[in-house]
Amino acid sequence: MMSKGNYYVTTPIYYTNAKLHIGHTYTTVAADALARFKRFTGYDVKFLTGTDEHGQKIQEAAEKLGRTPQEHVDEMVKSITALWKTMDISHDVFIRTTDEKHKKGVQGIFQQLYDQGDIYKDFYEGYYCKPCESFWTQSQLEEDHGCPECGRTTEMAKEEAYFFKLSKYGDRLKKHFKEHPEICYPEARRKEMINNFLEPGLEDLCVSRTSFDWGIPVPFDKKHVIYVWFDAVCNYITALGYGEDQDKDFKKFWPANVHIVGKEIVRFHTIIWPAMLMALDLPLPEKVYGHGWILFAADKMSKSKGNVVYPEVLIERYGLDALKYFLLREFVFGQDGNYTNQTFITRLNADLSNDLGNLLSRTVAMVEKYNGGFIPQVGAMEEVDEELQQVLTSAASKVEEHMEDLQYHDALEEIWTVIGRTNKYIDETTPWVLAKDEKKKSRLDTVLRNLSESLRITAILLKPFMESTSKKIWKQLGLTEEMHWEDAKYFGKISGLIKVEKGDALFPRLDVKKEVELLEAENKKVAAAQQAAKDKEASMALGKEEQKAKGKSAEKATDKAPEESTMATIEDFAKLEFKTAKIIEAKAHPNADKLLVLQLQVGEETRQVVSGIAKDYKAEDLVGKDVILVANLKPVKLRGEISQGMILAASNEDKLVLGTLDGEIPSGTEVS
Ligand code: ME8
């Protein structure tokens, strides 16, 4: 197929100072669905995501953990890329701001703007807190000029810094906002930018720092590091080779078709970044979309507040497509929305299990029962068939329109109109009644055929949003050819002798009460863990203070932190549950040489545990051994096998020995 053109879509690059939650997942899932949609509808797509790894916050997060900033970001990036892999995110490029090519690109940009006079050296004036090494504005201060972070008195101070002439671009930006309103979506956010920033007039922006060193050095003045936001926004072009090799991706994909971001960073993307591009004489992104926040307990999710929902648990229990569907369908892109466990489970049951899942299982079952599993040929069409056909064949163009406006919830609603109309069609045509009358076989055939056509179209429409569900529907319908978006616009595409293939339910029905309880317990655990981390941080900060008071350096105090953190309190110990267990079955892990998959008897219960003991134990020698199980660890999947706990073992570099029991005692007995 001829390409319809190039399409460049980006997410924000996420900070590497904390684990990502469903807020970050939301942006990435939305950008991913758009990238998939554009590829599927014929565009040559570049989809960029990545990580923002410099700045004081990250340096501090690393220090707290007793790591160097580089070690810290390397660890964090591993967990972020692993999450995107679990979520089957289809990015083409993953940029890290610590990549050499990005750093060079940013330095080149900084140098150019300095050389042409758009960056100049001046003094940054503000209230300075020496112990915190931070500048504050008057409005941020507490009483008596107190530092908002530590409360100590700040002093007026001046520091040398570099500034970007943002003010120079105010008028051009205003004009651009007027002529190209797409620069800022949705409209409410555009108005906010105009009224709060552009109309009052822009001030020059301080773009260097000297109070910490985890950043890209100013190329001609190494005491300064480049401000993290100046560094970060450049990723959108350095990822395409700007400053290095501009003839390939940069030429092909810049300007971006859309930067998808959360509403709190719209100013950086619609004012600061465009002004920088103007200074560089580069075209501006076509569209910046600032979506709303997912709120939890009516508040913005934040790790420090302990009100965070992580995607892993939802994916593990309900499947990736369920989470993707919920995020894109439940929240209106552009507006804030509340996450609750109740709405999550209820929507899964109503839309996925009932509407979609039942439609597929009923259709396949009826084709099997009434026509030996073969999708029949169509007979004469009646009015009701034509009405169905009309709904089905008009859906794809409507989805295209909604996706042009990034209205994911409307696109999915449109697909559910198809599903809803088809379910109604079953009630109207009552195939089970037709099946009782031999003379109505041709009518029954037509109905079954139309139902199969509807599911064929549904599978195509769903592909950009729920790839694996779409494939499952395709397979159960017995279709093997490649899917094409345009085929969703035509009725009657199923051709030849096709045999359906009954499969598992797409989305098993959930017990709402039970699942909500389970998820709530999970939320409480997360909040407790956050609180414990905060307490630890506070006590470490106190330790640091004491060290300082004794005249020791802050660095020494940080060095000591890991030692302190290995001491467990009795409360920490009480959180773990140890139980005796008997190994009743052991076999090699299908995908990993070092692992064994064990079945354990733990009282009445059987548990599967994956253990890294294959080097030291043969599977057959383990059966019958009594071991000690850490019984309340969160289940994890290890190379595709679920592991519900961990067994204790002693190990050194050479050898590993299982911890066993000195005497007989029933399995499931508590160990304390
Ligand atoms: O701001 N609801 O990174 P970040 C919806 N590094 N979306 C949310 C959300 C929520 N509750 N919480 C986070 C940064 N997000 C910078 C970006 S770009 C050049 C630099 C999403 O890790 C949303 O997209 O704080 C938001 O803008 C982004 O995560 C912030 O991620």
Side-chain angles (χ1 to χ4, degrees):
M1 184 173 53
M2 268 258 297
S3 166
K4 281 195 190 153
N6 302 320
Y7 197 89
Y8 183 31
V9 47
T10 68
T11 70
I13 48 171
Y14 303 109
Y15 286 129
T16 45
N17 57 347
K19 189 170 146 62
L20 301 190
H21 54 65
I22 60 163
H24 306 100
T25 308
Y26 179 52
T27 318
T28 312
V29 162
D32 182 59
L34 182 62
R36 285 170 182 273
F37 179 76
K38 287 288 171 184
R39 282 189 203 109
F40 196 30
T41 52
Y43 290 82
D44 197 350
V45 172
K46 187 70 82 186
F47 169 20
L48 171 75
T49 189
T51 40
D52 190 354
E53 306 185 14
H54 292 126
Q56 194 167 14
K57 271 202 266 182
I58 288 163
Q59 185 161 356
E60 282 172 0
E63 275 170 11
K64 271 179 202 152
L65 293 163
R67 295 175 179 157
T68 66
Q70 189 65 51
E71 281 166 357
H72 177 60
V73 294
D74 287 349
E75 272 310 302
M76 296 299 291
V77 168
K78 268 191 224 158
S79 86
I80 293 173
T81 48
L83 176 62
W84 298 153
K85 190 153 192 269
T86 307
M87 299 198 63
D88 197 21
I89 298 301
S90 67
H91 52 278
D92 303 288
V93 197
F94 187 95
I95 188 160
R96 300 182 54 177
T97 54
T98 51
D99 288 343
E100 274 316 310
K101 109 173 175 178
H102 171 78
K103 291 198 273 188
K104 267 204 187 139
V106 173
Q107 285 186 324
I109 292 168
F110 203 94
Q111 181 80 53
Q112 183 188 331
L113 298 192
Y114 180 71
D115 292 345
Q116 71 190 37
D118 272 306
I119 286 181
Y120 61 93
K121 197 172 187 178
D122 201 342
F123 287 93
Y124 187 84
E125 264 191 84
Y127 291 88
Y128 190 65
C129 173
K130 258 197 202 145
C132 295
E133 297 180 74
S134 300
F135 272 103
W136 306 102
T137 60
Q138 182 145 29
S139 63
Q140 290 171 314
L141 296 181
E142 292 186 345
E143 267 174 46
D144 296 330
H145 291 154
C147 165
E149 204 157 275
C150 71
R152 276 174 285 211
T153 310
T154 57
E155 286 163 24
M156 192 61 182
K158 253 182 165 185
E159 187 184 286
E160 220 181 52
Y162 289 90
F163 287 81
F164 170 56
K165 276 192 189 161
L166 187 59
S167 58
K168 175 175 154 190
Y169 294 94
D171 288 341
R172 269 179 73 186
L173 280 167
K174 263 199 245 174
K175 190 159 170 271
H176 190 87
F177 264 68
K178 214 175 254 160
E179 288 169 4
H180 303 275
E182 327 73 83
I183 189 69
C184 187
Y185 264 108
E187 200 189 336
R189 233 131 268 154
R190 187 182 326 128
K191 285 194 174 143
E192 201 182 302
M193 291 301 121
I194 297 174
N195 297 338
N196 298 354
F197 301 106
L198 293 176
E199 286 303 340
L202 298 172
E203 281 180 22
D204 290 352
L205 178 74
C206 180
V207 289
S208 76
R209 299 286 188 269
T210 50
S211 54
F212 60 93
D213 58 9
W214 181 239
I216 304 178
V218 169
F220 45 85
D221 192 349
K222 299 276 159 56
K223 308 202 285 297
H224 295 254
V225 291
I226 296 173
Y227 174 43
V228 65
W229 270 102
F230 186 99
D231 161 357
V233 286
C234 293
N235 91 87
Y236 300 124
I237 56 176
T238 58
L240 297 178
Y242 181 78
E244 191 190 43
D245 178 2
Q246 291 172 208
D247 284 340
K248 292 190 193 129
D249 281 351
F250 180 72
K251 194 166 163 199
K252 184 166 170 189
F253 290 105
W254 191 257
N257 296 77
V258 58
H259 291 317
I260 300 184
V261 300
K263 66 177 186 182
E264 80 290 358
I265 57 175
V266 164
R267 183 172 69 96
F268 293 101
H269 286 83
T270 62
I271 295 181
I272 295 171
W273 175 226
M276 286 166 64
L277 288 165
M278 285 173 176
L280 291 168
D281 205 16
L282 292 175
L284 308 196
E286 261 170 38
K287 190 188 274 188
V288 174
Y289 202 109
H291 66 66
W293 284 341
I294 300 185
L295 307 174
F296 184 52
D299 200 357
K300 182 168 189 233
M301 265 185 273
S302 140
K303 199 170 166 182
S304 59
K305 289 184 206 151
N307 63 341
V308 198
V309 178
Y310 292 115
E312 287 86 352
V313 60
L314 302 177
I315 297 169
E316 177 80 37
R317 197 160 173 86
Y318 310 104
L320 176 59
D321 279 2
L323 176 63
K324 283 189 180 177
Y325 173 75
F326 176 76
L327 290 174
L328 298 178
R329 175 72 181 82
E330 178 71 19
F331 305 105
V332 175
F333 209 64
Q335 293 176 18
D336 290 353
N338 261 313
Y339 169 89
T340 73
N341 294 318
Q342 181 82 28
T343 40
F344 178 68
I345 301 292
T346 311
R347 195 172 267 292
L348 261 48
N349 261 354
D351 299 3
L352 299 181
S353 172
N354 282 5
D355 293 351
L356 174 63
N358 281 350
L359 175 62
L360 178 70
S361 61
R362 283 165 92 190
T363 302
V364 171
M366 289 194 289
V367 172
E368 281 189 335
K369 190 165 170 200
Y370 303 137
N371 206 46
F374 290 95
I375 298 180
Q377 293 305 310
V378 73
M381 295 281 274
E382 294 184 2
E383 202 181 317
V384 62
D385 306 330
E386 266 149 27
E387 202 191 311
L388 174 76
Q389 178 175 347
Q390 208 280 324
V391 173
L392 295 181
T393 52
S394 60
S397 340
K398 290 186 189 154
V399 171
E400 283 168 19
E401 278 167 32
H402 296 313
M403 288 303 281
E404 218 34 60
D405 298 336
L406 274 75
Q407 295 301 290
Y408 300 90
H409 64 289
D410 285 334
L412 287 168
E413 196 174 297
E414 188 56 45
I415 303 174
W416 257 257
T417 304
V418 166
I419 297 168
R421 183 64 194 86
T422 314
N423 276 320
K424 187 168 160 229
Y425 177 80
I426 301 185
D427 297 340
E428 287 165 343
T429 54
T430 57
W432 52 93
V433 176
L434 298 173
K436 288 191 186 131
D437 186 346
E438 257 307 299
K439 289 201 289 294
K440 301 215 166 117
K441 179 74 174 90
S442 154
R443 179 68 196 138
L444 176 63
D445 282 355
T446 305
V447 169
L448 295 180
R449 168 72 176 209
N450 289 345
L451 289 174
S452 309
E453 270 297 324
S454 164
L455 280 160
R456 178 188 65 80
I457 290 175
T458 303
I460 299 176
L461 297 175
L462 280 179
K463 184 172 147 69
F465 309 96
M466 301 163 84
E467 172 93 29
S468 108
T469 303
S470 155
K471 279 190 184 146
K472 284 182 194 162
I473 300 173
W474 206 247
K475 186 156 188 281
Q476 291 207 28
L477 287 177
L479 300 173
T480 50
E481 68 268 26
E482 209 188 314
M483 273 188 214
H484 297 288
W485 177 255
E486 291 302 313
D487 288 349
K489 296 178 182 167
Y490 300 96
F491 201 72
K493 278 268 171 186
I494 295 178
S495 64
L497 202 60
I498 305 286
K499 191 164 194 303
V500 297
E501 223 180 273
K502 195 161 178 51
D504 292 339
L506 289 180
F507 297 94
R509 209 181 152 67
L510 301 164
D511 176 337
V512 180
K513 190 164 170 278
K514 184 175 141 219
E515 297 303 322
V516 168
E517 275 171 15
L518 192 137
L519 291 177
E520 254 141 45
E522 187 61 34
N523 300 145
K524 279 196 189 121
K525 259 196 247 162
V526 170
Q530 312 291 9
Q531 189 54 47
K534 252 203 226 168
D535 293 349
K536 188 169 131 197
E537 219 172 80
S539 76
M540 274 165 64
L542 206 66
K544 216 165 156 181
E545 277 305 303
E546 280 163 6
Q547 291 278 346
K548 270 192 194 169
K550 283 183 201 152
K552 291 185 183 164
S553 75
E555 283 72 20
K556 285 250 173 67
T558 332
D559 288 346
K560 199 161 179 294
E563 263 169 51
E564 285 173 5
S565 70
T566 58
M567 304 286 282
T569 62
I570 196 77
E571 287 81 1
D572 290 337
F573 180 72
K575 279 191 203 142
L576 290 174
E577 205 179 72
F578 297 89
K579 283 187 176 171
T580 60
K582 189 181 274 306
I583 303 180
I584 50 174
E585 194 190 306
K587 60 180 188 330
H589 190 292
N591 308 317
D593 293 342
K594 290 189 185 145
L595 302 179
L596 291 180
V597 182
L598 311 175
Q599 303 301 327
L600 305 179
Q601 189 69 48
V602 191
E604 302 288 318
E605 195 191 343
T606 311
R607 289 264 191 118
Q608 173 164 303
V609 168
V610 177
S611 188
I613 54 174
K615 193 164 74 65
D616 301 89
Y617 287 90
K618 283 204 190 97
E620 60 269 29
D621 295 340
L622 285 169
V623 177
K625 275 198 193 300
D626 293 315
V627 289
I628 299 173
L629 170 75
V630 187
N632 62 341
L633 282 184
K634 198 168 129 194
V636 286
K637 254 195 187 159
L638 295 172
R639 299 282 189 101
E641 288 287 340
I642 190 87
S643 184
Q644 304 160 297
M646 198 171 96
I647 56 172
L648 297 187
S651 67
N652 60 23
E653 266 162 30
D654 305 316
K655 177 169 179 186
L656 175 148
V657 177
L658 281 179
T660 52
L661 295 169
D662 179 24
E664 285 282 329
I665 193 154
S667 78
T669 308
E670 197 146 334
V671 179
S672 55

